[in-house]
Amino acid sequence: MKKVVLLNPPSEKLCIRDYYCSKISQANYISQPIDFIILSAFLKNAKSEIFLIDSVVGKYSVSKTIAILENIRPDIIITLSGTVSWEEDKFFLEQIKSTIKTKILATGDIFLENPQYFIDNFKFIDGIITDFTSTEVVKYINDDNVKNIFMPELSNKFNLPAVPAHEIFLKYKYREPFTLTSKYCSVLTEFGCPFKCSFCIMGKLKYKYRDAENVFLELEYIKSLGIKEIFFVDQTFGANRKNTIKLLSEMINKNLNLNWICFSRVDVLDEELINMMRKSGCHTIILGIESGSETMLNKYRKGYNTKQIIETLQICKQNKIRTVGTFIIGLPDENFQTSRET
């Protein structure tokens, strides 16, 4: 059995590196790394011994992180990185490589465009994961001859071979501003996004979804851990309407009794879907509204108008679901008038 460490490297800032969209937390929130949650399911299937070291949330220094790694002596480290933290990450990872002599796989937004460049120029990296829902990581762990870059699979689905190891993530104090309780679990039912907003990387990832039955098994496991709060971290919950309705129906009929939040879009949600979401435990929907200007909505290919925004918000209010809007001010072509409209 190989020892595999899922590593969020130490950082001087509150770095969020997961899901190919790295950023610095602008408040005090720090989300569970969904890359690692999904990968833990594949690692369990590969019969690996899984360790999680989140040096950002744990506030571990470089020296403490290295000490923990030296104690574990892992066969493989899977590390997060990103554009916002690469300069400090590369020095740390090089130090790890020279100290522990382990294989290092890296995943993050900075590697997507040209993964081969990083393989050729940074010898401390043994492999790059360009799709954390790919089964290729299992082949890599079980066979030393597997290629070192994991490309996205062509399938439109990604069912997990085992339930993710949520229990190891509960040991860290991840924080989300809209959950009702401090302890929660993150779940992914869809990877990427079928919509093509021009400012967002998610529309450039291969969109795929999990069967409702596969997701429901995970939700049952989470409930068995005593957790009552779920964060569906899909970029657009409900994008696959038929599959979503099937999942919500199962949650309602089996009386799963979980509270949950999600991200979605105003043109995906309607009265039927919102009503089912409420009945299954949804209390908050985070909507990417982005702008109150028709000009800006059209310019950046949002695909809906202000009338749809207002109508969806009203339906949510009628169903007593809290709504959170995300907005962008200052995109190219923004002006005083469009900002005022927002």
Side-chain angles (χ1 to χ4, degrees):
M1 181 179 288
K2 291 184 178 178
K3 294 180 180 180
V4 182
V5 168
L6 302 171
L7 174 65
N8 191 16
S11 174
E12 294 181 2
K13 298 178 180 179
L14 201 56
C15 276
I16 298 175
R17 301 175 169 106
D18 70 318
Y19 210 163
Y20 305 114
C21 185
S22 62
K23 48 194 170 288
I24 305 299
S25 177
Q26 298 301 303
N28 193 36
Y29 68 89
I30 181 76
S31 54
Q32 295 177 340
I34 193 62
D35 312 44
F36 286 169
I37 292 172
I38 298 298
L39 285 168
S40 72
F42 292 111
L43 295 173
K44 282 174 68 173
N45 190 52
K47 295 182 169 50
S48 303
E49 188 176 3
I50 311 167
F51 301 84
L52 173 66
I53 302 175
D54 196 320
S55 296
V56 174
V57 179
K59 298 182 180 179
Y60 302 154
S61 64
V62 168
S63 59
K64 182 173 181 177
T65 304
I66 292 175
I68 296 171
L69 286 168
E70 286 182 318
N71 185 56
I72 296 172
R73 306 301 297 182
D75 299 291
I76 299 172
I77 293 174
I78 303 178
T79 183
L80 294 175
S81 187
T83 304
V84 300
S85 62
W86 174 242
E87 289 306 313
E88 61 178 336
D89 293 346
K90 65 183 179 182
F91 292 113
F92 172 73
L93 295 174
E94 191 169 27
Q95 189 175 354
I96 291 296
K97 190 72 170 181
S98 62
T99 304
I100 302 179
K101 311 294 184 187
T102 182
K103 287 186 176 181
I104 297 177
L105 304 182
T107 183
D109 54 9
I110 194 169
F111 307 113
L112 288 183
E113 187 173 346
N114 189 358
Q116 191 63 52
Y117 167 81
F118 291 91
I119 293 292
D120 293 341
N121 291 278
F122 300 95
K123 298 305 179 184
F124 53 84
I125 295 179
D126 297 287
I128 289 175
I129 300 174
T130 54
D131 180 350
F132 59 77
T133 68
S134 171
T135 57
E136 290 295 309
V137 70
V138 176
K139 298 177 185 177
Y140 184 91
I141 290 170
N142 292 335
D143 184 353
D144 292 336
N145 297 317
V146 170
K147 65 183 181 179
N148 56 19
I149 297 176
F150 309 136
M151 301 307 293
E153 295 176 352
L154 297 177
S155 172
N156 290 324
K157 288 186 181 182
F158 73 103
N159 286 325
L160 301 182
V163 173
H166 284 286
E167 61 278 5
I168 67 175
F169 296 89
L170 295 174
K171 298 174 184 177
Y172 287 92
K173 293 184 179 179
Y174 294 101
R175 304 178 293 277
E176 285 294 336
F178 305 115
T179 55
L180 297 181
T181 58
S182 58
K183 282 200 170 185
Y184 70 97
C185 288
S186 297
V187 175
L188 189 72
T189 77
E190 300 176 357
F191 177 80
C193 181
F195 299 94
K196 305 299 179 184
C197 306
S198 60
F199 54 82
C200 183
I201 191 175
M202 291 302 161
K204 296 178 175 62
L205 300 176
K206 166 69 177 177
Y207 172 72
K208 43 190 167 177
Y209 69 95
R210 291 169 64 192
D211 288 325
E213 297 86 352
N214 191 252
V215 177
F216 191 76
L217 288 173
E218 183 178 356
L219 297 181
E220 286 186 311
Y221 178 72
I222 289 170
K223 187 174 181 179
S224 75
L225 295 175
I227 302 300
K228 297 181 179 179
E229 182 89 15
I230 301 294
F231 186 0
F232 286 112
V233 295
D234 308 15
Q235 290 302 301
T236 309
F237 186 85
N240 186 314
R241 185 182 180 86
K242 183 179 179 181
N243 197 58
T244 302
I245 287 178
K246 191 173 183 180
L247 174 63
L248 296 177
S249 297
E250 192 77 351
M251 293 172 70
I252 295 168
N253 295 336
K254 296 289 179 62
N255 195 27
L256 203 56
N257 196 27
L258 291 171
N259 298 313
W260 58 274
I261 66 177
C262 68
F263 297 106
S264 194
R265 285 171 53 107
V266 298
D267 55 343
V268 165
L269 304 179
D270 59 19
E271 193 153 6
E272 178 191 15
L273 197 57
I274 291 170
N275 185 260
M276 290 188 72
M277 291 168 71
R278 178 185 59 79
K279 287 181 179 178
S280 64
C282 177
H283 60 79
T284 302
I285 304 173
I286 306 168
L287 296 162
I289 295 173
E290 318 309 2
S291 179
S293 162
E294 299 287 355
T295 300
M296 296 299 289
L297 292 173
N298 291 332
K299 176 72 178 179
Y300 291 96
R301 302 204 300 264
K302 286 305 299 181
Y304 52 72
N305 55 44
T306 54
K307 182 174 182 289
Q308 289 171 284
I309 294 171
I310 293 169
E311 287 175 350
T312 300
L313 292 174
Q314 287 174 337
I315 296 171
C316 289
K317 186 174 183 179
Q318 290 164 7
N319 280 272
K320 298 183 179 179
I321 292 179
R322 177 174 57 172
T323 50
V324 178
T326 65
F327 296 86
I328 302 175
I329 299 281
L331 284 169
D333 302 302
E334 185 85 86
N335 57 44
F336 182 74
Q337 179 59 35
T338 59
S339 297
R340 284 198 64 173
E341 289 171 6
T342 297

